[in-house]
Amino acid sequence: MDLLHFARGLGLQIAIAIFCLGVTWRIASFALLRIRREYSRPRESILKYMLGGLITVGSRSWPHREFIGRTGAGEALGYSYHLGLFAVVLLFTPHILFLQSLFGFGWRGLPSSVITILSVITLTLFLAVLFRRVTNKVMRLLSNFDDYFSWFITMLVMATGLAATAHVGGPYETLLALHILSVDVLLIWFPFGKLMHAFYIFPSRAINGALLARKGATS
Amino acid sequence: MQPLADELAVGDMLRQNGVSRRRFIKYCTGVASAMALPPWMGPAMAQQLQNAPRPSVIYLSFQECTGCFESFTRSFSPTMESLIFNVISLDYDDTLMAAAGEQAESALAKAMHDNYGKYVLIIDGSVPTGAGGGYCTSGGKSAVDTLREAAQGAAAIVCVGTCSSFGGIPFADPNPTDAWPVSAIVANKPIINVSGCPPIPEVITGTLLQYVTTGKVPDLDEHLRPKAFFGTTIHDRCYRRSFYDQGKFAKTFDDEGARNGWCLYELGCKGPTTYNACATTKWNGGTSFPIESGHGCIGCSEPGFWDKGSLYSPLSATDWGKAGESSPRQVLELAAGGIVAGAALGVVSAGSGRLRQYRSEHPLDIDAEEG
Amino acid sequence: MSRLSEISVRIEAPTRLGGLGGGVAAVLSELVDMLEKVAHGGEAATIDLRSLPMSPEDRSALQSALGHGEVQATLRADGVSTLQETGISGLWWIEHRDARGELIAELLEVATTPAILAASTEDMVAASRALRSRLEVTHSAAARMTHATLS
């Protein structure tokens, strides 16, 4: 069984299964915990503070005015590469066809040359992000294996994808196999590292926002 | 007295057939150019063959559909390719020869004996080993035995077609006859795989001519295919490449995009992973090739291409073996399985989490317990 | 009396070969070296144009740059081949076509004459034998006739 066949076949099946298993496990392990009883008097009605929670999910996406000076650059960098990643993953026709084979429906993509430009920009931003993490003293102190590996595996997916489309660095089927294999590894790693923020941000912000709203505050 | 046909050197043979030296040089120049060999090789080949005795060639067909042989003989300009039959001494070929039965078999035995160690063995068709080799027999002998015997005295073996090179369609799942490619059965002999279903006629004759004139096996890739013809992918030389780069794909056959000649990636074209000369040498004397005619490449010169998923599912789609492309239902089942297992693990984790929560809220109880 | 400046003269600038694609220009400088070698008795050399990545514009630019010389030869052997001496003496542009007119090879040969034009000695030997036997037949036929007339 050659590498490409494995990557797209059994490898992918294992990755999807582990991804679903891992995500469910991690979400269930906090969702099934007992909610700590709040002893303070609610300042707002239930409906109001639940709404507050929902609003927080959105409002946390923009930094407070006071902090923009210090965090603005990092946030802009982060948003940019997230947008780039989403565009490349969801709007590149071969990817759309892949998702179509998984889910049964597809959509129109962008011209491939545009996607290539976006990928190169995103990859550059990614390198900038690592540079920042390594040169900033505080960040360097705080960074652990999770941070570096999550960065590495996402970067590998992008780099192998670019290499495959450009047909550079080896025979095409090997490049494609490496790209799909790195996606498999990403899917397997996803639930066990900081990439879970993709799922966590929603309950995290909502719960914090709701609790604070219950106390009559905003965050 | 004129020497017998068998004993004539190639040059004399050609002259006897009214082929002037110039005509032969021109032919060899064309072949050298087609094979991307240095231009001096054309006249050098012609010179080499001039005085060379015609090498004996034995063509054995096993579990095949004869498409490869048809391709071999169905050359575009018959005069050119039929020259091959003047350049070589085709001592055995069951499709072409007039002899039959025991006469044919004794011709084979004689050719193998007289040219032992020097003949070129051409094979098409895969070799079944199931039922003691009984799925393919000729004259009471199984293909696998015939192959083993013929391979012993061969100088080199040229496998024509994907069946003899990689097993081809008989080898595809479930392989009921337990078929194998020649390279799985014969060891210790130089093997050249000219794969394709069928291979392009000029690729077959060009490879043969090059081997016969130089006496050396050409540069081969990791699948033993001549790099001169199998060194690049269809995608690398496809005239529709600009459409691929722009992301202009035909969505269905005969839609707007298809009629405008857009890339056939979405319709399952395997061009990017297929190595062959179709996009440059083309078929029917350079008339066209599948993509130019509007159908995606099926990857017919690659090992195991019959088992690599649907011919019409794009390369980026999943390839889940027997079923080919995955169905959303399969994905759902896989996800459901993962979710259920994850939920179970989550319950266990949450259980231990709750225990921790309880203990942290009731420290005195625990002390009392242990007390 | 007209002045020099009034005589209509059109000065044709030599076509700049440097304006062609990089690969083509490199090959041409290689050909210049080959020409010098062959002129001093070296072996003829050939370049396969199929091996040069040329756009159609490059190709026609090359053709017009090289121009036509004094000799054009047609070879009829399984289709027509044309051997055109270019404006560069000793540089021949050879197109081999098969019986259906399809281009099977396109070469640039540097030689005093393209090698394929020369008759081969083996062909000549065989031809002389054939001619001799034809002469003998004619001879004996003539002898028989004379004999018949005389007798």
Side-chain angles (χ1 to χ4, degrees):
Chain A
M1 192 197 272
D2 64 65
L3 200 62
L4 181 59
H5 188 64
F6 171 76
R8 286 158 67 194
L10 187 62
L12 186 61
Q13 289 171 303
I14 293 171
I16 290 177
I18 294 180
F19 175 79
C20 292
L21 182 154
V23 168
T24 314
W25 182 5
R26 297 206 75 185
I27 291 178
S29 55
F30 79 76
L32 294 175
L33 290 174
R34 205 155 48 86
I35 297 176
R36 201 180 48 181
R37 206 176 310 155
E38 271 299 304
Y39 292 106
S40 69
R41 181 173 53 86
R43 305 307 192 277
E44 305 279 350
S45 66
I46 292 176
L47 214 65
K48 269 237 171 91
Y49 75 68
M50 279 191 167
L51 189 67
L54 285 176
I55 290 172
T56 312
V57 172
S59 69
R60 281 271 174 94
S61 299
W62 195 258
H64 284 281
R65 210 176 353 106
E66 303 82 26
F67 298 125
I68 287 180
R70 278 232 289 175
T71 64
E75 294 228 24
L77 204 61
Y79 275 126
S80 306
Y81 75 67
H82 273 81
L83 286 171
L85 280 173
F86 288 144
V88 170
V89 170
L90 297 174
L91 296 174
F92 182 47
T93 308
H95 290 163
I96 295 171
L97 294 168
F98 168 69
L99 294 169
Q100 189 168 6
S101 70
L102 283 181
F103 301 122
F105 63 91
W107 51 89
R108 281 201 65 118
L110 286 176
S112 306
S113 42
V114 172
I115 297 290
T116 309
I117 294 170
L118 284 174
S119 318
V120 171
I121 293 173
T122 309
L123 195 63
T124 316
L125 291 171
F126 234 61
L127 290 169
V129 153
L130 180 70
F131 179 75
R132 182 165 167 270
R133 180 174 289 278
V134 166
T135 54
N136 182 300
K137 268 188 263 186
V138 176
M139 294 208 77
R140 200 166 57 226
L141 191 68
L142 295 173
S143 302
N144 58 11
F145 171 80
D146 186 0
D147 294 306
Y148 290 118
F149 187 73
S150 300
W151 177 91
F152 171 73
I153 193 65
T154 314
M155 203 275 313
L156 194 67
V157 171
M158 275 197 288
T160 50
L162 267 173
T165 347
H167 289 61
V168 149
Y172 178 74
E173 56 273 18
T174 309
L175 296 171
L176 190 62
L178 288 175
H179 178 62
I180 298 174
L181 265 178
S182 38
V183 171
D184 293 340
V185 172
L186 176 68
L187 284 174
I188 291 172
W189 170 249
F190 194 107
F192 305 108
K194 72 184 210 179
L195 291 169
M196 269 303 281
H197 76 274
F199 292 96
Y200 284 157
I201 50 166
F202 299 103
S204 169
R205 292 174 176 185
I207 290 169
N208 277 316
L211 284 174
L212 283 166
R214 191 176 181 277
K215 292 178 185 166
T218 54
S219 68
Chain B
M1 192 174 85
Q2 281 280 43
L4 293 171
D6 288 349
E7 296 155 21
L8 279 179
V10 173
D12 304 321
M13 181 80 206
L14 291 170
R15 214 166 304 109
Q16 255 200 355
N17 283 309
V19 179
S20 73
R21 184 115 172 79
R22 285 203 193 96
R23 209 165 134 198
F24 193 54
I25 292 176
K26 179 171 166 175
Y27 169 61
C28 289
T29 306
V31 170
S33 183
M35 291 188 71
L37 295 169
W40 55 261
M41 276 222 69
M45 272 188 198
Q47 183 61 37
Q48 185 85 357
L49 286 170
Q50 184 67 18
N51 302 310
R54 293 190 305 148
S56 169
V57 171
I58 292 172
Y59 198 122
L60 294 177
S61 299
F62 297 134
Q63 203 173 23
E64 40 80 26
C65 72
T66 316
C68 293
F69 186 76
E70 293 285 341
S71 182
F72 185 24
T73 57
R74 201 66 85 250
S75 63
F76 163 68
S77 39
T79 28
M80 289 301 109
E81 264 62 49
S82 71
L83 272 175
I84 273 284
F85 293 100
N86 293 320
V87 170
I88 59 172
S89 175
L90 189 59
D91 291 333
Y92 183 90
D93 180 281
D94 42 38
T95 312
L96 287 180
M97 58 202 287
E102 290 187 4
Q103 283 174 323
E105 296 311 302
S106 63
L108 175 62
K110 184 172 189 303
M112 291 202 300
H113 176 264
D114 291 350
N115 300 287
Y116 193 86
K118 292 184 294 211
Y119 56 83
V120 177
L121 186 61
I122 305 182
I123 307 280
D124 66 5
S126 66
V127 187
T129 54
Y135 286 110
C136 178
T137 61
S138 179
K141 270 175 74 179
S142 71
V144 58
D145 288 339
T146 308
L147 174 63
R148 286 206 181 106
E149 191 189 326
Q152 274 173 11
I157 304 178
V158 178
C159 296
V160 170
T162 301
C163 286
S164 51
S165 303
F166 306 128
I169 198 168
F171 185 73
D173 201 43
N175 195 353
T177 61
D178 205 12
W180 291 96
V182 168
S183 51
I185 296 185
V186 175
N188 308 321
K189 285 285 172 183
I191 293 180
I192 305 171
N193 284 333
V194 182
S195 64
C197 190
I200 297 171
E202 289 78 13
V203 170
I204 305 173
T205 51
T207 306
L208 209 54
L209 188 68
Q210 201 203 6
Y211 177 77
V212 155
T213 48
T214 60
K216 282 199 291 265
V217 164
D219 270 344
L220 303 175
D221 70 5
E222 79 270 20
H223 292 300
L224 306 178
R225 301 175 296 195
K227 277 193 192 150
F229 293 111
F230 296 92
T232 54
T233 61
I234 308 297
H235 186 65
D236 287 338
R237 297 277 182 267
C238 185
Y239 77 104
R240 296 194 180 193
R241 186 64 181 272
S242 59
F243 293 116
Y244 169 88
D245 291 333
Q246 287 171 57
K248 289 200 168 106
F249 302 110
K251 307 270 172 214
T252 66
F253 288 114
D254 207 32
D255 73 354
E256 186 76 42
R259 281 196 233 120
N260 285 330
W262 288 0
C263 175
L264 300 168
Y265 185 91
E266 286 199 35
L267 292 167
C269 181
K270 304 293 184 287
T273 52
T274 307
Y275 291 84
N276 207 339
C278 309
T280 46
T281 308
K282 298 194 192 179
W283 292 85
N284 293 310
T287 302
S288 181
F289 70 111
I291 292 163
E292 196 173 336
S293 301
H295 190 286
C297 168
I298 64 172
C300 75
S301 54
E302 295 300 308
F305 80 95
W306 293 111
D307 288 330
K308 285 192 178 161
S310 166
L311 301 176
Y312 301 102
S313 86
L315 267 175
S316 62
T318 55
D319 169 20
W320 287 5
K322 266 208 188 109
E325 193 180 320
S326 67
S327 65
R329 218 190 85 127
Q330 285 174 304
V331 176
L332 208 64
E333 286 169 7
L334 209 59
I339 289 170
V340 164
L345 285 166
V347 164
V348 171
S349 297
S352 102
R354 281 200 170 215
L355 189 63
R356 234 181 313 122
Q357 279 180 316
Y358 177 82
R359 287 214 175 126
S360 74
E361 282 173 8
H362 302 92
L364 298 168
D365 292 353
I366 290 172
D367 285 342
E369 260 179 76
E370 289 176 6
Chain C
M1 186 155 91
S2 41
R3 266 176 273 181
L4 190 64
S5 54
E6 286 163 12
I7 302 172
S8 47
V9 168
R10 193 179 70 183
I11 301 167
E12 271 201 8
T15 327
R16 277 187 48 83
L17 292 173
L20 297 165
V24 179
V27 160
L28 286 179
S29 48
E30 205 186 312
L31 281 170
V32 166
D33 291 332
M34 282 188 214
L35 269 169
E36 278 166 15
K37 275 206 202 83
V38 173
H40 290 101
E43 258 186 48
T46 319
I47 288 178
D48 188 348
L49 282 169
R50 200 190 286 224
S51 65
L52 292 179
M54 270 199 297
S55 64
E57 296 82 24
D58 270 350
R59 201 172 171 285
S60 48
L62 180 63
Q63 268 180 324
S64 53
L66 293 178
H68 282 206
E70 299 168 325
V71 182
Q72 192 199 57
T74 311
L75 166 66
R76 271 174 251 272
D78 279 323
V80 172
S81 300
T82 41
L83 302 96
Q84 172 75 53
E85 191 188 31
T86 64
I88 320 283
S89 185
L91 181 62
W92 301 79
W93 189 303
I94 302 173
E95 281 182 16
H96 285 297
R97 289 178 188 282
D98 63 17
R100 236 178 71 155
E102 300 293 329
L103 191 67
I104 57 170
E106 197 170 22
L107 315 160
L108 281 176
E109 185 168 344
V110 177
T112 47
T113 34
I116 201 173
L117 283 181
S120 85
T121 43
E122 295 88 356
D123 281 352
M124 286 168 74
V125 163
S128 69
R129 266 199 235 115
L131 189 59
R132 187 180 294 279
S133 53
R134 272 166 66 193
L135 282 172
E136 280 166 12
V137 168
T138 330
H139 225 81
S140 56
R144 264 187 269 119
M145 277 199 67
T146 329
H147 204 83
T149 355
L150 286 175
S151 56

